[in-house]
Amino acid sequence: MVKRVMCQFDFGLYMAVKLFGASWMRQTRTAQNILASSDIAFTYVDVQKNPIMTQVLDTVLGDYSLPVLFVDGRAYKGVEKVREYLASL
């Protein structure tokens, strides 16, 4: 089932900016605010509303902490990594 879901995602060389998180988490809201205030267009995926996404993230990333930002196929795990990504722009 996880493979089927993964096939539905664009994990190609370049992909849209996606933020995976849980809406109840302060860290997720912080990451959303950071991206929005930096004028970074992103798609938000609430893993709580789509629980299979946690399985997908487990398969793709192994250990991770929410939020997870994917940019061009690279994962930035946690708010501090999101900040580091923005600082690198």
Side-chain angles (χ1 to χ4, degrees), residues 23-51:
S23 59
W24 60 268
M25 291 181 65
R26 177 182 46 84
Q27 297 90 338
T28 297
R29 291 190 305 272
T30 299
Q32 289 174 311
N33 291 335
I34 291 169
L35 292 168
S37 67
S38 298
D39 292 326
I40 303 292
F42 66 96
T43 302
Y44 173 64
V45 179
D46 190 339
V47 298
Q48 191 173 20
K49 291 183 180 177
N50 192 352

Side-chain angles (χ1 to χ4, degrees), residues 19-86:
L19 180 69
F20 294 83
S23 59
W24 60 268
M25 291 181 65
R26 177 182 46 84
Q27 297 90 338
T28 297
R29 291 190 305 272
T30 299
Q32 289 174 311
N33 291 335
I34 291 169
L35 292 168
S37 67
S38 298
D39 292 326
I40 303 292
F42 66 96
T43 302
Y44 173 64
V45 179
D46 190 339
V47 298
Q48 191 173 20
K49 291 183 180 177
N50 192 352
I52 198 120
M53 291 311 304
T54 57
Q55 293 177 347
V56 172
L57 290 173
D58 284 337
T59 301
V60 172
L61 300 174
D63 284 338
Y64 69 93
S65 60
L66 293 175
V68 176
L69 179 68
F70 275 97
V71 181
D72 293 335
R74 183 168 179 193
Y76 300 89
K77 306 172 195 175
V79 174
E80 288 309 312
K81 293 296 182 182
V82 172
R83 285 188 175 116
E84 287 177 22
Y85 162 71
L86 291 174

